[in-house]
């Protein structure tokens, strides 16, 4: 009986397209970091008193009122061409956010700001992941914070500062869309 050489298995869907060469992958990931940051890095920097960037919320007024990153500038994407010159210093980099991963409002806002000459990064996860990771938000009624979602942030995360008073859940859920608004303002 002849010796049979085993046939190689077909590549999985994961490797059906081969991974990039290491130098190409390094260039891609370095470039990606030039365009994006995440909520944990923004929170950590703000908590440490960073002043080398400004955070911009590109959502509607209704969405802003429901909850936004404390200290953020409210600049709805549609208002960027008219208002960015008054609200933002072109010498200070901007970190822009919108609702979350399912919304491209922050991308549109970042494009508009870059077109006006601003250096800009998009905060991945938007306000949804800011809230899900348990970080404080500012609302029309004051500041509040929800417990961290254990699916997105480690329980007992050392980066989350304790909050005075009880954790609250607002009547309107800012993880989805503004209540009573026709659109999110992106």
């Amino acid at each position: 009986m002849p010796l049979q050489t085993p046939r190689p298995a077909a590549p999985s869907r994961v490797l059906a397209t081969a991974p990039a060469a290491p130098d190409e992958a390094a260039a891609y990931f370095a470039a990606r970091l030039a365009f994006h940051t995440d909520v944990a890095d923004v929170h950590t920097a703000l908590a440490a008193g960073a002043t080398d960037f400004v955070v911009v919320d590109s959502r509607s007024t209704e969405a802003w009122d429901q909850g936004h990153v404390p200290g953020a500038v409210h600049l709805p994407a549609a208002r960027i061409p008219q208002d960015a010159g008054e609200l933002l210093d072109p010498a200070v980099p901007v970190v822009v956010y919108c609702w979350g991963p399912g919304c491209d409002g922050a991308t549109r806002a970042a494009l508009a700001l870059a077109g006006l000459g601003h250096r800009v990064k998009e905060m991945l996860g938007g306000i949804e992941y800011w809230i899900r990771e348990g970080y404080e938000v500012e609302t029309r009624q004051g500041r509040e914070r929800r417990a961290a979602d254990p699916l997105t942030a480690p329980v007992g995360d050392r980066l989350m500062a304790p909050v005075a008073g009880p954790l609250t859940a607002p009547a309107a859920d800012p993880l989805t869309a503004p209540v009573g608004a026709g659109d999110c303002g992106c």
Side-chain angles (χ1 to χ4, degrees):
M1 178 162 224
L3 183 64
Q4 293 191 346
T5 306
R7 292 187 312 202
S12 66
R13 291 185 78 131
V14 172
L15 297 180
T17 299
D23 59 332
E24 292 172 342
Y28 168 80
F29 291 117
R32 190 163 183 246
L33 289 172
F35 299 106
H36 299 105
T37 188
D38 65 31
V39 297
D41 288 345
V42 171
H43 177 267
T44 299
L46 293 175
T51 59
D52 57 344
F53 66 94
V54 63
V55 178
V56 169
D57 184 315
S58 65
R59 300 171 303 142
S60 68
T61 299
E62 294 86 358
W64 168 266
D65 288 345
Q66 283 177 224
H68 56 272
V69 172
V73 172
H74 184 222
L75 183 54
R79 299 289 316 160
I80 288 172
Q82 297 85 7
D83 298 343
E86 289 178 34
L87 298 173
L88 302 173
D89 178 350
V92 178
V94 175
V95 173
V96 66
Y97 72 88
C98 198
W99 280 106
C103 176
D104 65 359
T107 304
R108 286 195 301 271
L111 175 61
L113 288 166
L116 294 173
H118 293 270
R119 291 177 298 147
V120 62
K121 285 189 172 198
E122 184 177 352
M123 184 174 79
L124 296 175
I127 194 69
E128 176 184 348
Y129 275 75
W130 184 272
I131 293 167
R132 291 181 75 177
E133 291 194 18
Y135 302 135
E136 188 174 59
V137 294
E138 195 167 1
T139 72
R140 190 177 341 163
Q141 292 79 28
R143 290 188 177 219
E144 57 186 54
R145 190 181 119 206
R146 293 182 179 188
D149 180 343
L151 296 177
T152 62
V155 175
D157 187 342
R158 64 177 171 68
L159 298 176
M160 293 185 351
V163 104
L167 297 177
T168 61
D173 187 351
L175 298 181
T176 56
V179 173
D183 103 27
C184 70
C186 309

